[in-house]
Amino acid sequence: MSHPASGPTVAGGTSGAGGDDHVVDPLDDIRLLLDSLTPSSAPETLTSTTIEMVAVSSAGRPGERKKSARRPIRSLWGAAGCVLAALLIGLAMGRATTSDPDERILEYLPVVEHLGVLQEAGSVAFLRSVAERDYPPPRRFPFGRPPEGREGGDRPRFDQPASAPADEGWLQLNETLEALQEGPFGPETPASEIDARREHVEELDDDARRRLADAAKAFQELPLSRRHDIVELARALGDGDDPEGELQALLAAARSWHQWVAWRDPADRHAVVALDATDRLEWLDRYARFNVRPMFPMGPSGRGGPEGRGFGGERGDRSREGRDRRPGADAERRNGGANVPDAATGSRRRSAPEQTTPAAG
Amino acid sequence: MTTSADVSADLMLRVQAGDAAAFEQLVTLWQDRLVTLFLHHTGDHSTAEDLAQEVFLRVYRAREGYRPTAKFSTWIHTIANNAASDLRQRAYRRMEHGVAPSTSSSSSAVGLEQIAIAASGERPAREADRQELQSVVREAISSLSDNQRMAVLLAKFEHCSYEEIAAAMDLSVPAVKSLLFRARDQLRATLESYQRDGVRSPEAGGGEP
């Protein structure tokens, strides 16, 4: 690390490199007290990921990128510029809002095209945590459903796990998987593949191109860490070889998570998907706790006895333990009841006490 | 003599001219410093790395506008302070969704736990090991307001003068002096009482709004 060698700097001076002026340390006498704060070092991979992220990020700023490259070789590219402009005009048919399908975007086209699904899935770390905690599927909420619409006597239909094989999002995940496994993406994409993708983009209709442009813009505007997570996740899903079952575990977790968010209204879903891994897990824990409660614990009459506590009241009976298990219970069991390490945060979560406490309202 | 600041400015000018290798060198030169700054500012390593990357991205995007008239360190510190402020605003917005900022709260909880052990009287400060002291100092730092913390860290790790801190944080020099005066008072109260008695000062932890 190359910190400036100077110690306390000169107050009133502008350079801090002065020699014998009156030296005033902004920290004064507490500098020594703070000596236990040690300098840290970045991981070895940070440089490469930073360079990659900056390269990807600057991809969506064609004007900016071309400006610096244009100066020294402007004359050489004059003719090529005309050709490119013609191509751009062709691509910008009608009122298409697409920006130039920049080469970098083409490199990441499978990711950009399936950005929605990947954003929802989040990151490898998040999915690993979901897999590890082994959340049960959400139950259908009975809002608006008349009592006669339920089946099975005192067991309401909403107790059934939500299975969503025909769910659009479910199908999109499969399509995403196919697309990511189909070909390479990122800097290693061969030129021939880039050309093929360029042609593919050219053949898109206006609506599809507009959607792609929106996705590319959204991809560019993601925070760096989020973009990094998505590219990492796409690489994990795109790796067809799965000898250790990691891919299947990630997919199962993605599907489980999708089931949870699919029940939210669109605005809420958007807000939940925008959360980072830690907050998503917190959200999921909260709703999973809610999920394991009996919906109408007061009995068939709906009135309940003295112990009835209304919506979300007493805990379910033990016979339902298998289905209504507490989130993460399986993982804890596998770990001998010990605290379960949190893959997303690296922290260790406390196990039973707070997870079995019913959450407020 | 070539100082590290000159090296950074030179590298930045090369980045401006489109030299990708220079940008990589600049990242290598500054990443540890930024991660250190953000680590002590946020209390979380991965957040610190994200913020450092964000700073480099902003540096790259702003390369056209860079002029070597000011010190490079002041320029990058300004960007770093802005990135930290943006993170704070994002965290605030996130809380509007009803999700507590778990990263800082968890790290704070650990700190409090350690302080509770350290302050239990079983081990006086003189015998407290470095790790305990470190956690107390971290807690003291985290009890400062965001501006105070950033000013203290710029002074501590980047050896910035009042003027440089003022420039980086877009404040006046008297405002920075006042900021640091209050920060020093608060830290002194917390840390001296711990060092003397092994007990955490009751004033600590309040911070400024």
Side-chain angles (χ1 to χ4, degrees), chain B residues 15-85:
Chain B
V15 171
Q16 201 173 43
D19 185 344
F23 183 68
E24 190 168 345
Q25 285 179 51
L26 198 65
V27 171
T28 309
L29 190 63
W30 277 88
Q31 62 182 6
D32 284 351
R33 295 169 66 169
L34 290 176
V35 166
T36 297
L37 189 67
F38 288 131
L39 173 63
H40 293 298
H41 188 68
T42 65
D44 180 68
H45 214 288
S46 63
T47 307
E49 288 170 20
D50 285 350
L51 279 173
Q53 285 192 321
E54 177 71 28
V55 168
F56 289 124
L57 178 62
R58 292 184 188 195
V59 163
Y60 188 78
R61 285 180 177 169
R63 68 192 183 282
E64 298 287 342
Y66 175 70
R67 298 289 176 270
T69 49
K71 284 179 75 175
F72 179 82
S73 59
T74 305
W75 190 62
I76 201 168
H77 290 152
T78 306
I79 294 173
N81 183 53
N82 290 341
S85 296

Side-chain angles (χ1 to χ4, degrees), chain A residues 231-247:
Chain A
V231 171
E232 185 191 41
L233 175 61
R235 290 195 192 287
L237 296 180
D239 187 5
D241 298 331
D242 188 26
E244 294 176 4
E246 164 89 348
L247 177 60

Side-chain angles (χ1 to χ4, degrees), chain B residues 34-206:
Chain B
L34 290 176
V35 166
T36 297
L37 189 67
F38 288 131
L39 173 63
H40 293 298
H41 188 68
T42 65
D44 180 68
H45 214 288
S46 63
T47 307
E49 288 170 20
D50 285 350
L51 279 173
Q53 285 192 321
E54 177 71 28
V55 168
F56 289 124
L57 178 62
R58 292 184 188 195
V59 163
Y60 188 78
R61 285 180 177 169
R63 68 192 183 282
E64 298 287 342
Y66 175 70
R67 298 289 176 270
T69 49
K71 284 179 75 175
F72 179 82
S73 59
T74 305
W75 190 62
I76 201 168
H77 290 152
T78 306
I79 294 173
N81 183 53
N82 290 341
S85 296
D86 290 349
L87 176 79
R88 203 157 57 232
Q89 284 170 11
R90 283 201 297 272
Y92 181 77
R93 281 199 295 272
R94 193 176 55 177
M95 284 175 73
E96 289 178 342
H97 288 298
V99 178
S102 49
T103 305
S104 55
S105 62
S106 62
S107 63
S108 162
V110 171
L112 286 170
E113 205 172 303
Q114 289 172 340
I115 286 165
I117 295 167
S120 65
E122 292 172 11
R123 282 186 280 182
R126 286 174 192 164
E127 295 171 18
D129 59 27
R130 187 167 160 271
Q131 214 170 8
E132 281 177 346
L133 179 61
Q134 209 169 28
S135 75
V136 173
V137 173
R138 277 202 206 110
E139 177 65 17
I141 288 283
S142 72
S143 74
L144 299 175
S145 73
D146 290 311
N147 273 350
Q148 286 177 340
R149 195 182 319 130
M150 181 57 85
V152 166
L153 293 174
L154 283 173
K156 161 72 182 161
F157 290 107
E158 294 293 315
H159 303 280
C160 289
S161 66
Y162 286 121
E163 287 72 19
E164 288 164 339
I165 295 170
M169 299 181 70
D170 197 20
L171 296 171
S172 66
V173 171
V176 170
K177 284 183 177 174
S178 163
L179 200 66
L180 281 169
F181 178 80
R182 290 197 303 271
R184 281 198 304 263
D185 261 8
Q186 193 172 324
L187 288 173
R188 199 180 288 122
T190 308
L191 300 177
E192 281 183 349
S193 90
Y194 175 78
Q195 283 205 321
R196 190 178 57 246
D197 311 322
V199 179
R200 188 178 171 228
S201 163
E203 295 91 32

